[in-house]
Amino acid sequence: MALFFEAAEALVADYLNGRTLPEAVHKAVVLAARTRLINGEVPILDETLRGDIDREASRPIPP
């Protein structure tokens, strides 16, 4: 099961592409992606989940 969690983390990180999410939202998105991976649902990051991510994500402040 750890592999599904790591794969979900990687999918979310790739989609975020340097953006960040609040911790609670990040955990919820990763768990949703993990569940979809386990259940074989495609797409893993569907339009609704991507919309949730995009609404909550913020760009890092440049140094």
Side-chain angles (χ1 to χ4, degrees), residues 13-52:
D14 186 52
Y15 184 76
L16 284 170
N17 193 29
R19 299 178 295 167
T20 59
L21 288 172
E23 186 177 343
V25 176
H26 183 85
K27 286 181 182 179
V29 168
V30 169
L31 289 177
R34 178 185 168 268
T35 300
R36 291 175 182 184
L37 281 168
I38 289 170
N39 293 333
E41 295 176 36
V42 177
I44 303 301
L45 300 179
D46 67 2
E47 187 175 338
T48 302
L49 193 52
R50 290 190 317 267
D52 293 342

Side-chain angles (χ1 to χ4, degrees), residues 4-14 26-27 30 33 37:
F4 287 109
F5 184 79
E6 290 176 22
E9 280 276 7
L11 283 168
V12 172
D14 186 52
H26 183 85
K27 286 181 182 179
V30 169
L37 281 168

